């Protein structure tokens, strides 16, 4: 393995570490699903059913808003799990 290949490998690992440590205000469903180890569909259903606290934000893709999960809710989910079903 050449020195340049080793440096590229180290840079790639650093990018992964920085992404892992970055704290955002909001996570899109794809990011949230990757962090918690669930599918995007499952996480969208949790949002729709109120099992996690999420907001709809305009995505710039027309009239359709996307679910986003606040960082505080991610931490709450990791500590406590899903919210109970609400009988609305």
């Amino acid at each position: 393995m050449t020195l340049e290949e080793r440096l590229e490998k180290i840079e790639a690992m650093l990018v992964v570490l920085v992404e892992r440590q970055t704290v955002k205000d909001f996570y899109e469903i794809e990011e949230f699903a990757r962090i918690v180890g669930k599918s995007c569909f499952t996480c969208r259903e949790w949002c729709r059913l109120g099992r996690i606290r999420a907001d709809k934000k305009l995505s710039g893709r027309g009239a359709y808003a996307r679910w986003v999960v606040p960082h505080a809710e991610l931490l709450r989910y990791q500590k406590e799990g899903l919210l109970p079903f609400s009988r609305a």
Side-chain angles (χ1 to χ4, degrees):
M1 183 181 279
T2 68
L3 182 59
E4 286 183 28
E5 291 172 337
R6 291 178 70 189
L7 285 174
E8 288 175 7
K9 185 176 179 182
I10 291 169
E11 285 178 357
M13 288 190 287
L14 283 173
V15 167
V16 170
L17 287 174
V18 168
E19 286 177 357
R20 204 181 292 167
Q21 295 299 322
T22 302
V23 174
K24 297 181 170 185
D25 291 335
F26 291 94
Y27 297 93
E28 293 184 2
I29 284 300
E30 293 79 11
E31 296 171 303
F32 180 80
R34 183 177 40 81
I35 292 168
V36 301
K38 300 292 182 184
S39 73
C40 295
F41 176 81
T42 298
C43 294
R44 277 191 295 274
E45 284 296 298
W46 289 347
C47 295
R48 188 178 65 78
L49 296 171
R51 301 295 309 271
I52 57 174
R53 294 180 190 105
D55 301 315
K56 284 271 197 161
K57 298 260 181 172
L58 291 178
S59 64
R61 305 181 99 191
Y64 300 102
R66 297 180 64 139
W67 287 108
V68 291
V69 181
H71 179 71
E73 180 63 8
L74 170 65
L75 296 177
R76 189 209 59 77
Y77 170 79
Q78 288 174 332
K79 289 179 184 174
E80 301 171 16
L82 292 173
L83 295 170
F85 280 108
S86 61
R87 304 230 182 237

